Amino acid sequence: MIAAAQTGDGDADDGELVVNDRTCIVTREATDPADLIRFVAGPDGQVVPDLKRQLPGRGCWVRAERALVERALQRKLFARALKTDVTAPGDLGDLVDRLLVADLAGMMNLARKAGQFVSGAMKVDNAVRSGEALGVFHAVDAAADGVRKIDQARKAWRLGTDAEEDIASFKLFTLAEMEELMGQNAFIHAAALAGQAGEGVVKRATKLETYRTSGHSGANGGAGRSRT
């Protein structure tokens, strides 16, 4: 469903913004809030990302793609959508990325405590072959041989179960980035397992990857999801 006409390059036209709880202020495309990022005006007049969609006040939405967040910033769409004199920090795209990263790391730690996130090549391989893994994670600088072996396990699982898709695979952080982010819980290979917390990890990883890679935004960070 499209909330308003779009221009040829996918941007909204320059008419009056149409804003509702499910409309991206850049594309004017109405979609699931899970695929959007909410922004509100903070007490200091700054635009604030509201990832949990809980902050009070009027909000506006941008599809979770860095290129679109930066486009909204460049076109000064936040003030128009929020109908107030707000300013957006020039590093808003980086800020959203950091918040998405922190959200993912927090869910990984929660899933680990719940027994739904394991690390180590052997544990990941076993989780994949047993069908318990919902998604696998590799450090961007992980050894190619280790990644290849887990990819083989993913392929064997898919062929053995006639699944339409492989278990999701992500490369989002270097080992050094993870050590800074997660300390002793940093990993080279890991897997999110079946369960609510494991599902939360995959959901957040997918959103972060989409934010970084959609629209060829050139965002920092590792390679994206693999289905090979």
Side-chain angles (χ1 to χ4, degrees):
M1 176 180 175
I2 304 298
Q6 298 178 11
T7 61
D9 64 359
D11 284 345
D13 61 32
D14 289 325
E16 183 179 354
L17 278 175
V18 178
V19 180
N20 62 42
D21 284 350
R22 295 170 184 258
T23 301
C24 171
I25 63 173
V26 180
T27 67
R28 303 209 189 163
E29 182 177 279
T31 188
D32 190 319
D35 298 324
L36 300 165
I37 297 172
R38 184 174 185 260
F39 295 85
V40 300
D44 60 354
Q46 287 274 314
V47 173
V48 177
D50 178 20
L51 266 60
K52 296 185 182 298
R53 308 193 291 273
Q54 294 177 344
L55 294 178
R58 181 184 180 88
C60 65
W61 302 76
V62 178
R63 199 165 68 213
E65 299 178 15
R66 179 170 180 144
L68 295 180
V69 171
E70 292 178 343
R71 202 170 299 165
L73 180 65
Q74 294 163 0
R75 293 169 60 105
K76 304 185 186 305
L77 297 182
F78 290 109
R80 293 172 58 194
L82 294 172
K83 297 188 182 301
T84 187
D85 186 16
V86 294
T87 57
D91 65 345
L92 185 61
D94 290 334
L95 174 59
V96 172
D97 188 279
R98 291 195 298 270
L99 291 174
L100 290 171
V101 166
D103 193 31
L104 172 58
M107 183 54 70
M108 284 179 171
N109 288 331
L110 183 63
R112 188 185 296 274
K113 292 177 182 178
Q116 295 172 25
F117 193 82
V118 297
S119 57
M122 185 67 69
K123 289 182 179 179
V124 173
D125 188 276
N126 290 339
V128 170
R129 293 184 185 276
S130 69
E132 191 178 6
L134 300 178
V136 299
F137 297 80
H138 306 289
V140 172
D141 45 353
D145 187 57
V147 176
R148 178 183 58 80
K149 290 178 179 178
I150 292 173
D151 282 346
Q152 288 176 339
R154 291 167 58 228
K155 183 177 180 179
W157 172 84
R158 180 171 60 83
L159 293 176
T161 59
D162 291 327
E164 294 184 0
E165 294 186 347
D166 287 332
I167 294 167
S169 179
F170 300 91
K171 291 182 179 180
L172 297 169
F173 312 110
T174 65
L175 180 57
E177 287 171 337
M178 279 191 289
E179 287 175 342
E180 182 176 354
L181 183 66
M182 305 179 70
Q184 64 181 5
N185 287 333
F187 57 81
I188 297 176
H189 307 286
L193 308 182
Q196 185 175 3
E199 290 174 359
V201 170
V202 173
K203 177 181 177 181
R204 285 162 175 78
T206 301
K207 192 164 190 173
L208 174 60
E209 180 196 73
T210 299
Y211 179 77
R212 288 179 166 180
T213 61
S214 292
H216 306 287
S217 62
N220 294 328
R225 187 172 181 171
S226 169
R227 290 192 176 277
T228 59

